[in-house]
Amino acid sequence: MIYAYEIEGGKVALDHKPPRYSTPYIEIEELPAGPRDSLRIVKGKLVSNATIKRAINAKAKLAVAKQDRDDSLDALVHDFGDGRVMQIRPKDDQFVKGAIDLMEMAGITSMDNWVMLDDRKYTVTVDELKAARMAGLLSVSAIFSAYAI
């Protein structure tokens, strides 16, 4: 058994006997790869600086991938092909679905006050909203697949 404990400057001392006094230590069975002067105790485990650096890099890459995914989701729009462009972000889906449900319950096929991306009101039909919503759901699925984390 090997005993590891922190010494001055965050370095690690190794010994075959537990340290004297009340110095906190951890027990290890084998040393991690790397030079001894690169060893650190992190959350009760003996790791090398290279392992710490890999963990930091992995977290940074994950944060960048999540931000890219969120930016892509926030930029989702549906172009009706006639100048009308509607946002179809995940946070817009509940409103689109709600409008479809209300229009169907009321028996109306179109509404003339849907605010599009350019902040102007346009007429939309239930079928157009359904198509836009489906396009949004498919786009969200594709984005989550592309940014699988």
Side-chain angles (χ1 to χ4, degrees):
M1 183 69 59
I2 301 172
Y3 299 92
Y5 53 96
E6 285 188 15
I7 57 175
E8 194 174 311
K11 297 198 183 259
V12 173
L14 303 171
D15 203 335
H16 291 285
K17 299 180 282 181
R20 289 188 258 168
Y21 313 112
S22 61
T23 305
Y25 64 92
I26 59 171
E27 297 177 357
I28 56 173
E29 304 237 348
E30 65 180 71
L31 291 174
R36 285 189 178 195
D37 63 342
S38 78
L39 298 177
R40 302 287 179 260
I41 296 176
V42 178
K43 295 184 179 178
K45 294 186 179 182
L46 187 65
V47 294
S48 68
N49 285 343
T51 302
I52 295 168
K53 186 176 180 180
R54 280 193 302 274
I56 291 170
N57 287 341
K59 283 187 177 187
K61 287 178 183 177
L62 179 62
V64 168
K66 284 182 175 181
Q67 187 62 53
D68 286 348
R69 178 200 64 204
D70 292 347
D71 291 347
S72 295
L73 290 170
D74 204 40
L76 285 177
V77 295
H78 179 72
D79 189 339
F80 290 99
D82 58 3
R84 298 176 300 155
V85 178
M86 179 176 133
Q87 291 176 306
I88 53 170
R89 305 164 299 185
K91 59 186 169 187
D92 299 316
D93 183 64
Q94 66 182 350
F95 302 113
V96 176
K97 182 173 182 343
I100 293 167
D101 292 345
L102 287 173
M103 290 171 72
E104 287 178 337
M105 285 190 302
I108 54 177
T109 57
S110 66
M111 65 168 45
D112 59 359
N113 61 350
W114 193 270
V115 180
M116 297 287 176
L117 185 62
D118 62 2
D119 289 327
R120 294 175 53 200
K121 293 180 180 180
Y122 292 91
T123 300
V124 292
T125 67
V126 172
D127 290 338
E128 288 173 331
L129 288 177
K130 285 181 179 179
R133 182 169 185 258
M134 183 54 65
L137 294 173
L138 292 172
S139 295
V140 167
S141 177
I143 288 169
F144 271 98
S145 294
Y147 290 100
I149 298 170

